[in-house]
Amino acid sequence: MSDQITLTIDGRDVTVPRGTTIFDAARMNGIAIPTLCHQQNQTPVGVCRVCVVDVGARVYAAACIRECDPGMKVKTGTEPVVRARNTLVELLMADHPSPCARQQASGDCELEAMAKASGVSEARYARRLSPRGRDDSSLSIAVDHEACILCDRCIRGCDEVKKNHVIGRSGRGYSAHIGFDLDLPMGSSTCVSCGECMVSCPTGALTNKRVIDAQLPGETLDPEWILQLPVFKGVSGTFLELNKSSLVKRRIAAGEVICREGEFGSTAFYILEGSVDVFIGTPIAHVKQEDASAGWLSRIRSRLADRQEHTRTEESGRRFIPIDAPVDLPYDKPLAELGAGELFGEMTCMSFHPRSATVRAKTEVVVLEMLRNVLDILQKNKTFRAELDRKYRQRALETHLRSVPVFSSMPADFVDYLRDRVELSRYSPGEVIVRQGEAADAFYLVRLGFVKVSERHPGGEVVLTYLGRGSYFGEMGLLGGGVRTATCTALDHVDVVKIAGEDFQLMVSRFPDIRAGLEKVARERAEQNRQRLASTEHVPIDAFLNQGLMEAQSLLLLDLEKCTRCDQCVRACADAHDGVTRLVREGLRFDKYLVASIRRRNSMEIIIEDWCIGCGLCVRNCPYGNLNLHPFEIKVPDPEKPNRMIATTRKKATGCDLCMEHAEPSCVYACPHDAAHRVEPLAFFGTMSAVKDGKRTGSTEATSK
Amino acid sequence: MIIDRSHRSWAVASAAILIVALAAYVPYAVGSPRVGGGTTLGLAYGIVGFGFMAFVTLLSLRKKFPIWRIGRTQTWMRGHLWLGALSLPLILLHAGFLFGHGLASVLMWLFAVVYASGICGAWLQHTMPRRILRDVPMETIYEQIGHVRAQLVDEADRLVADASGRLEVAVPPAASGATVLATVMRVDADVTAPLREFYVHEMRPFVQAPSRSHPLANETSAAGRFEKLRPLLPVSLHAAVADLESICEEERQLMRQARMHGVLHAWLLVHVPLSFALMALAIAHIIGALRY
């Protein structure tokens, strides 16, 4: 049998190898057949049917999948074929949001171009009734399911071209759509943001998230050059081309400041050459309250005090300061060095936290400065993650473990043992790390970001605590019944060090002091949780949960039926704190009460640590208006004249301190109308609720209690 | 301050003092040929009455130094109410229920005005906070009303622009910096004309500079205006209309709050300066009486 066959396409005799599709045969002979679902580098699937041709059979054939037969007579552009093709385009356009994102951005949506060429201006068919929605969870790729024509080009790009096998089909009929992994949001899936799907997509269903007006200072890089760097191995060149302005190279002279603590930024830095110093320039101290004078005229004065001089009962015994870099800073001397191959500024870039430390070039430094879409891709890049993880295991794991008081005594040999056994995991905002009721199989140390610990109850979810870098969780399940007692959820981008259950058991069996320390903490946490929950039995828990009052230990309540809005409480607070009020007469409402201020303790205590840099983020985000910035005058070296000090103002965050120096808070003491009260919330609202219930049922028992 | 059961001890003590004063006065008035401030008992009434007046006046000074630990301010306030209430009967007993002539007469009339304004203030403080709580659920800090009003204008502008503006706009997500393309309602510009017309000519002037005479200042008439507007607009715009209606409601509440706040505090403009004037004249009266 001959390997060559001859057929006729649009009246022309063409000879092609056996097994060639009609689409390829036509293309090889200069005859264009329109298509949407087919690309030359992908296996044809024939799902869009736009490439239909007349082969003389009962039905039209899809040219991309139909192989040529000897003597076949193919007609690609007859009036009935074109009409059928136009009907298909019209049907696809009926569901297509025109202009789609791609058409708006670059005007090259293949479907819309085809519709225009076919003269399909307005679809005669009704749109689908159920919307398929959007998925903006990925930082680099926008998914608009409305614009998806289910051509499967992205699926084949992911499977066949990049071999990532992340995208597939999900749903049936009208609800059919592309899905990532087990139909997860793209940002939560195992997608590595290589960009192949986006490049393959013929419409605006998968588009690049460009950063608006991003023009970073520095040298814009050629994607070819970037791909030479080992850490960018495997990243899509097309993606780098599309995001050229999101990644620059900067050369920084020795002594120059790269980023300053407290500043808001949106970039991360990767050191290519040289080394940098990381330090905190703000005084390592906290705001201390003290009496300025004794007796009835007594006034509280605020001043800065360091830990050696004044230790607060509620603060932890931490010896390291967590920052947005792979190292922690020693409390006594907050200075560290980073070198080539290290990344800093991750949290600022991903979660828009203010810079947690100042970074200054120690030698001449070459850095790559990148925006979050590039950082996201890097973080998902296996080569880069492996390199970062290797450095972390080598350099930072031991410091991290030692910064946790309960592990400070761990022998070096066991740290070495753990070094290659721990798992470094990353979680997206909202992702559940461990779930209440599941089997406890690992212990976690928070490396980056914040974790919410909560318990499920019939009334709703009760938040038990929030854990930041240097905190840990999972010990209660491992030391107790082997079941998770609470759910831990990532609040932002969270990195954790996961110690497997068997390693944890080995550790606690070998080191009784670590076991004792962990058991003590577990007991304390369990007791706090028990007390908190026991006292909510008679309280309208749903209302409490809704308003977030569960975590409070002392509330300033303003009885709005008595309050004449004279602001005497605010004035008193300002008078008591150097003219800086810590009380704003606005906040949550509960019945007739306005919650003007909250004080927390124990695990929910808001402690302003000594290394507060006064960025003001907590002040802006506190839902209770309970945190304020307190300005202080300090002396700093004069940048223009060495050996000379100049005065400048620095701020530190402060919260309500209940005027601890006095028997009663100044706001309550100064209220002339008996409207301001400091209460323990559960007891107060519990009584109130009981009184109301008593009234409702006609019982006098509750009121008499 | 709400006068409730917690004032019982003050009320009982005040009543006791008043009864004792009246009990002493009756035989004195019946038996003595001359009643008035010049007699021993009259002088005693005057001294005690003035003492109460002085204490009552000191509340203003007490409030100036809120952190001084010289007794809770609410205790001072209770004293202010009850001892202030007692001071007038004592001064009347001191004067033998005569208003006298000259300075004494001015003093008595002034005292009456201060006393009346005080009662008025106590009544307002007793009732008005409850009314504010009931009638102004969206209450804000009084000093922030101007700021909130400006925010409402911005919000309303944005609502109308979104409802009748461009078809597709690039919306930068809050603080992310990455672009996201969002599709806003597709509405023909001429369909939205009644909305823009209503907003520009009626609603915006009201939200920007509210006046009680404006039709939207009245809840019923505002509801009528919005009811008339709805049929002129496509259903897709009704949500925007509902938002605008709630902005008007918030504006009305701000107006109400400003008015109630004014009423709740305006009486102090009479009460406080006249109290100090009263004290000054009372001191002049004492000096005069002692000297002549």
Side-chain angles (χ1 to χ4, degrees), chain A residues 98-99 101 104 134 136 139 208-212 295-300 352 372 560-568 571-572 575-576 584-586 589 592 659 662-666 668-674, chain B residues 1-2 4 6 59 62-74 77-78 125-126 129-130 132-133 136-143 168-172 175-182 186 261 264-265:
Chain A
S98 178
Q104 288 177 69
R134 297 176 56 89
D136 276 321
L139 294 181
N208 177 43
K209 277 186 171 176
R210 194 171 50 83
V211 176
I212 297 172
W296 52 272
L297 281 175
S298 80
R299 178 185 168 79
I300 297 169
F352 297 97
R372 68 194 310 226
L560 293 174
E561 287 189 348
K562 291 180 177 176
C563 173
T564 65
R565 285 72 169 166
C566 67
D567 274 344
Q568 201 62 20
R571 238 169 274 147
D575 274 14
V584 179
R585 197 175 44 76
E586 189 155 74
R589 290 197 180 194
K592 62 176 180 172
C659 295
H662 296 306
E664 193 171 22
S666 296
V668 176
Y669 196 75
C671 176
H673 302 291
D674 191 23
Chain B
M1 170 173 266
I2 289 183
D4 53 13
S6 64
L59 177 68
R62 171 70 187 90
K63 285 184 178 178
K64 296 278 177 225
F65 304 97
I67 57 167
W68 282 13
R69 302 281 148 163
I70 49 173
R72 305 174 88 205
T73 313
Q74 63 158 296
M77 180 56 116
R78 286 171 202 269
Q125 289 193 345
H126 186 81
R130 285 182 228 205
I132 294 176
L133 183 64
V136 192
M138 296 177 186
E139 183 190 352
T140 185
I141 296 176
Y142 177 72
E143 288 75 16
E168 277 91 19
V169 291
V171 181
S176 79
T179 187
V180 178
L181 287 161
R186 176 188 277 274
H261 190 92
L264 182 55
H265 294 94

Side-chain angles (χ1 to χ4, degrees), chain A residues 175 404 465 546 593:
Chain A
S175 61
V404 182
T465 188
N546 290 342
Y593 297 100

Side-chain angles (χ1 to χ4, degrees), chain B residues 178-246:
Chain B
T179 187
V180 178
L181 287 161
T183 304
V184 178
M185 268 183 286
R186 176 188 277 274
V187 182
D188 290 336
D190 54 340
V191 176
T192 65
L195 176 70
R196 285 203 309 279
E197 181 80 7
F198 167 78
Y199 180 67
V200 173
H201 297 296
E202 282 202 54
M203 184 175 157
R204 200 168 194 279
F206 169 66
V207 184
Q208 220 167 11
S211 115
R212 291 181 71 180
S213 59
H214 195 285
L216 292 177
N218 179 286
E219 208 169 318
T220 317
S221 105
R225 298 269 164 158
F226 280 102
E227 277 313 309
K228 277 184 191 166
L229 177 65
R230 277 194 185 90
L232 304 177
L233 297 168
V235 179
S236 57
L237 288 181
H238 285 194
V241 173
D243 288 345
L244 291 176
E245 199 170 3
S246 90

Side-chain angles (χ1 to χ4, degrees), chain A residues 48-75:
Chain A
C48 75
R49 315 302 287 190
V50 168
C51 61
V52 287
V53 290
D54 183 358
V55 293
R58 188 175 56 83
V59 291
Y60 293 151
C64 67
I65 49 170
R66 179 75 156 87
E67 289 182 9
C68 298
D69 289 333
M72 183 184 255
K73 288 187 170 40
V74 180
K75 292 171 188 165

Side-chain angles (χ1 to χ4, degrees), chain A residues 87-106:
Chain A
T87 303
L88 288 166
V89 171
E90 199 177 342
L91 281 165
L92 289 171
M93 280 297 286
D95 273 346
H96 188 72
S98 178
C100 65
R102 180 164 170 174
Q103 185 68 13
Q104 288 177 69
S106 51

Side-chain angles (χ1 to χ4, degrees), chain A residues 586 589, chain B residues 132-141 148 152 246-247 249-251 253-254 257:
Chain A
E586 189 155 74
R589 290 197 180 194
Chain B
I132 294 176
L133 183 64
R134 188 190 63 206
D135 296 344
V136 192
M138 296 177 186
E139 183 190 352
T140 185
I141 296 176
V148 174
L152 287 180
S246 90
I247 288 175
E249 169 58 22
E250 192 168 350
E251 182 57 63
Q253 289 198 20
L254 290 180
Q257 185 190 343

